[in-house]
Amino acid sequence: MTFLPAWLIYALITMFFYGLWAFFPKLATLYLPTKEILIYQIIGILAVGFIALLSSKQRLQFNSLGLLFAILGGAAGLIGTLFFLKSLAIGKTYVVVTLTALYPIITIILAFIFLRESLTLKNAIGVVFAFIAMYLFAS
């Protein structure tokens, strides 16, 4: 019997929950303004974070740079979520979700520039196709 590797199982679970994360806010925009949705989402984030903290058997680790980047990541995610909600409120769900799901292009470019991670020709072609997909969905 062949089992899926753990990373693939986690990635598929992530995909499922990200799908819910992108769908539920569209429903919320039918009933609430975007800023209120953002506040209620923060409550959900804090609840899950609190449960994760309570269920962890490890103590919180501290590193000033790690803390800074974690806070910046959270802030960037929250700002992105605010604009995602604004976009969902007035745009078509499938277009907004597809365009915003191309965010790894930004990560690829930043990793290439700042972390000196290499890009193969195949990777670069994938980035070009992602830009083409953006154009096709946005037009």
Side-chain angles (χ1 to χ4, degrees):
M1 180 184 282
T2 305
F3 291 100
L4 296 175
W7 70 265
L8 181 57
I9 293 169
Y10 293 149
L12 293 171
I13 292 169
T14 301
M15 184 181 76
F16 174 76
F17 279 100
Y18 279 178
L20 294 177
W21 170 83
F23 180 70
F24 287 146
K26 179 60 178 186
L27 296 178
T29 64
L30 301 175
Y31 305 99
L32 294 167
T34 57
K35 288 181 184 173
E36 280 82 348
I37 296 168
L38 188 69
I39 298 300
Y40 295 135
Q41 283 188 333
I42 291 169
I43 293 169
I45 290 167
L46 290 173
V48 171
F50 189 66
I51 291 168
L53 180 64
L54 289 178
S55 66
S56 175
K57 297 190 186 333
Q58 295 179 338
R59 291 180 22 184
L60 284 178
Q61 297 180 28
F62 178 80
N63 174 286
S64 56
L65 278 177
L67 180 64
L68 173 67
F69 289 131
I71 289 171
L72 289 174
L78 204 53
I79 292 166
T81 299
L82 177 62
F83 285 98
F84 174 74
L85 292 170
K86 287 180 171 291
S87 188
L88 269 181
I90 57 177
K92 293 183 179 179
T93 306
Y94 76 94
V95 175
V96 171
V97 170
T98 303
L99 282 175
T100 57
L102 292 172
Y103 74 87
I105 294 171
I106 303 302
T107 307
I108 291 167
I109 293 168
L110 291 173
F112 178 76
I113 293 169
F114 294 106
L115 301 177
R116 306 274 191 249
E117 292 186 2
S118 61
L119 275 177
T120 66
L121 177 62
K122 194 183 336 181
N123 299 147
I125 291 170
V127 170
V128 169
F129 281 139
F131 278 112
I132 291 169
M134 275 192 239
Y135 172 76
L136 292 173
F137 271 96
S139 56

